[in-house]
Structure formats: C-alpha cells, structure tokens
Amino acid sequence: MRVRIDDLVFADRKYWDTLDQLVFFFVNDRHLWQIDDPDQVLNSPWISEDKAGRAGKRNAEIIKKCFTASAYPPSYGLFHSSVIEIAISETKPHRFDPHHAIALLGSPVMILVENTESDGAFLDTVIHALGRQRLQRAQTEGWWRFEHLGGYGEVEKRIGQLRAQSPAPVRLFVLADSDRLFPGDETATIKKIEKSCRETDVPFAILQKRKSENYLPVTALQSRVRKGLFGAFIQLSETQKDYYEIKAGFRKDDASQPIVPDEQQALFQNVRKTIRRGLCGGFGGEIWRVFVAARSEISETDIRGRCSADPTELDRILDQIERLI
C-alpha cells in the first residue's frame, strides 16, 4: 500500500515508538511511504529530538531512501496503488491512527476461496505461468495468503468472523467459481457472492468458467488422465470445455446412457452420443492436483489459450489482488 503520514503524528510523542516500528514496512518494500517534503519530516520533533541516537540516524536514512523511492519509483505494477493516510484522528475512510495503521499494514491480505488446496493450486499456477514474480514474492514473504471460505452461502458470516478477529480493518478478497452450466448463466452462487460482497464492501472476482479446474490446459491433462476420457474431452469446443462438469462428468441412466442436464442440452446438442458416453464419470475430485504436478510445464500461452474468449480475465484478477497489497 502507499502510505501518507500527517505532520501532526510526527509532533506527538506518544506515537514515536509506533513510527519507529512503521519504518520497517518501508525498508523491505512491503509498503511505500509517500513523502512530499523530506525536510519537513527530517526537521520534525520525531527525528530532531533523536538526531544523534541510533534510531534517529536510522530513521533519517530511511526517510531519504523512501523519498527517492516515492519520487522516482521503480515499476511496481499495481502494488502500492491503494493509498491510506496515518493521522491522529480517523475522520474519514482510509484514514487510520498510527496504532490501527500498524495493525493493518502488518496483517496479510486474505484471499477467501472455497477450498484453499484446490483453488490455491489454481491461482498459484496462474501466477507462475503469467510471470507475476512480485506477487509470488509477496506470498512467500507472507504479505498475502489463502483463507478458507467454506460454502458460498456462508460468505457474509466468514467475512464477519475475520473482521471480528482483527483489532484493525482487514484486507479481504473473495475468489469464487461461477458454477455456470452455460455462458451467461446467472447461478445462485454468483448472485450470493455479488450481493454479500457488495453489502460488506469486499472486492471479489467470479470465474467465467464453471470451476477453476476448467482452466486446466489440455496439454497438462493429456498424460495424466484416462486415455478414453481425454480423447472424448478434446472433441469438445472451447465453450463446451468451459462448462463441462470436469470433476464428475455426465451421469448415466439405468441403461448406462449419458444424462446431459436440461440446462446444457443446447450447449452439448452437437456432441455425438459416443463422445457423451466417454465423458461420463469425469476426471475425478482430485483433478486439481494437475495444477501442482504440471506447474512447471504450464506456460502463459497455455493459460491464454484456455481463455481465448477473454484472454485477460486472469490478469485482471491478479491485478485486483495486487491493488490490495
């Protein structure tokens, strides 16, 4: 985040220990201190009363480096694009007293997903494939993490729990499967996520495809799934792959014939019965593990190839996360 500090904070002795702690967030590039006038900070009581001391000398050096970084910043992407102000009173949104600010800046951004293992594997693979190295580093440093959401019907409750557990505002982001059966399907999941996140003022993203596993590139599946199932799957169009129930596949009736849900009849009407039969049973509930097993093989081209209808969809999701960090 980009941080501005009101001059009155530097003049109030009761905040000086907190300021000494805050500077470490800027040293390691976790957050960016926006300094308009370094001399004003250097001549403030916080620094001037300890010029000869170890903390005063250290803080003065950090102020100079932070001014240079904020005036001539390297390419941060969308990191540090969200701005907060530290002041002695919290009179408006995004304005925090120093004690609340240090709790906010020191806590990780939490990415709420239905399943931290499978959805985490998906997002980690996308980050790797798209070369978002700063986002990888931020995760390694503990600046953001996945958090279990549970069922989407519990989203408001979970947001409330996480906020209640924190002494300061928390930074949350919800990432959800759409559960769509066809393009444009407005599912109960979508309606619930949109309503809950807007009412609680939490940013969110809903995947265009049915589930995160529907983003698996065909090349990653080829040597890791049943040959017959793979042969049937590659006969589908890209849109059909997007909304196929990749885990469980089509069910069978008593005569062992494939059952295509009524809502998907139009989508799969041109698929031969033999292909539909081959799609029964799906890839299994552990298919998400391919994201882990094939991570080093999955390229940016593979990811964008699976998102041909919207090639920048996943970039936009990662952008949303970066803005919070």
Side-chain angles (χ1 to χ4, degrees), residues 20-138:
D20 289 343
Q21 296 173 57
L22 276 169
V23 296
F24 288 103
F25 291 133
F26 310 127
V27 171
N28 66 4
D29 200 31
R30 181 169 185 176
H31 301 290
L32 182 68
W33 187 358
Q34 180 69 53
I35 300 175
D36 298 323
D37 185 351
D39 291 333
Q40 192 168 9
V41 183
L42 289 168
N43 294 324
S44 69
W46 172 51
I47 298 297
S48 61
E49 290 194 18
D50 189 33
K51 279 186 177 180
R54 184 171 62 179
K57 291 179 179 178
R58 180 202 63 207
N59 292 338
E61 287 301 313
I62 292 171
I63 288 165
K64 294 172 185 176
K65 290 178 181 178
C66 287
F67 174 69
T68 301
S70 62
Y72 308 101
S75 176
Y76 288 119
L78 291 169
F79 283 85
H80 311 323
S81 57
S82 295
V83 180
I84 68 165
E85 182 181 6
I86 299 176
I88 60 175
S89 61
E90 300 179 340
T91 56
K92 59 184 179 181
H94 310 297
R95 192 176 196 182
F96 305 94
D97 72 39
H99 302 304
H100 279 167
I102 201 167
L104 172 68
L105 297 173
S107 62
V109 172
M110 288 179 277
I111 312 301
L112 277 61
V113 291
E114 185 176 19
N115 185 298
T116 55
E117 278 195 303
S118 59
D119 295 319
F122 158 67
L123 200 60
D124 285 344
T125 298
V126 171
I127 290 170
H128 180 269
L130 297 185
R132 303 293 279 260
Q133 295 177 348
R134 286 185 60 83
L135 204 50
Q136 282 183 311
R137 181 211 166 188

Side-chain angles (χ1 to χ4, degrees), residues 4-17:
R4 303 180 68 90
I5 305 177
D6 186 83
D7 293 338
L8 292 177
V9 176
F10 302 123
D12 196 327
R13 185 180 297 272
K14 71 181 179 183
Y15 294 127
W16 290 355
D17 286 343

Side-chain angles (χ1 to χ4, degrees), residues 47-286:
I47 298 297
S48 61
E49 290 194 18
D50 189 33
K51 279 186 177 180
R54 184 171 62 179
K57 291 179 179 178
R58 180 202 63 207
N59 292 338
E61 287 301 313
I62 292 171
I63 288 165
K64 294 172 185 176
K65 290 178 181 178
C66 287
F67 174 69
T68 301
S70 62
Y72 308 101
S75 176
Y76 288 119
L78 291 169
F79 283 85
H80 311 323
S81 57
S82 295
V83 180
I84 68 165
E85 182 181 6
I86 299 176
I88 60 175
S89 61
E90 300 179 340
T91 56
K92 59 184 179 181
H94 310 297
R95 192 176 196 182
F96 305 94
D97 72 39
H99 302 304
H100 279 167
I102 201 167
L104 172 68
L105 297 173
S107 62
V109 172
M110 288 179 277
I111 312 301
L112 277 61
V113 291
E114 185 176 19
N115 185 298
T116 55
E117 278 195 303
S118 59
D119 295 319
F122 158 67
L123 200 60
D124 285 344
T125 298
V126 171
I127 290 170
H128 180 269
L130 297 185
R132 303 293 279 260
Q133 295 177 348
R134 286 185 60 83
L135 204 50
Q136 282 183 311
R137 181 211 166 188
Q139 184 184 25
T140 301
E141 295 283 356
W143 300 347
W144 67 273
R145 71 168 189 251
F146 294 108
E147 189 72 32
H148 182 64
L149 176 61
Y152 294 129
E154 301 292 312
V155 61
E156 288 176 70
K157 179 180 177 181
R158 189 70 180 116
I159 289 170
Q161 288 174 339
L162 292 169
R163 283 177 168 168
Q165 292 167 5
S166 174
V170 291
R171 289 167 290 161
L172 306 174
F173 179 78
V174 173
L175 177 63
D177 292 334
S178 70
D179 294 335
R180 288 187 175 99
L181 299 180
F182 52 85
D185 187 11
E186 288 297 314
T187 65
T189 296
I190 294 173
K191 293 175 182 177
K192 179 63 177 176
I193 294 294
E194 289 181 344
K195 180 176 183 294
S196 297
C197 289
R198 285 172 178 154
E199 289 180 352
T200 54
D201 196 27
V202 171
F204 66 96
I206 298 172
L207 297 176
Q208 292 293 326
K209 304 184 194 302
R210 185 169 183 166
K211 300 180 187 295
S212 59
E213 290 87 352
N214 289 88
Y215 289 78
L216 278 165
V218 169
T219 51
L221 292 169
Q222 186 168 9
S223 62
R224 295 177 171 89
V225 297
R226 290 188 289 113
K227 186 175 180 180
L229 174 59
F230 179 79
F233 185 71
I234 61 173
Q235 299 302 313
L236 299 179
S237 69
E238 290 302 298
T239 303
Q240 290 164 344
K241 292 187 185 84
D242 290 347
Y243 302 102
Y244 168 64
E245 174 42 73
I246 196 165
K247 294 180 182 179
F250 295 135
R251 294 186 297 109
K252 292 181 179 179
D253 61 19
D254 293 339
S256 294
Q257 296 303 309
I259 300 173
V260 177
D262 292 341
E263 301 90 338
Q264 293 191 308
Q265 287 290 335
L267 179 62
F268 290 97
Q269 64 181 342
N270 67 339
V271 178
R272 300 193 309 275
K273 184 173 288 188
T274 54
I275 300 300
R276 294 187 190 185
R277 189 178 297 116
L279 293 167
C280 291
F283 293 94
E286 299 292 298

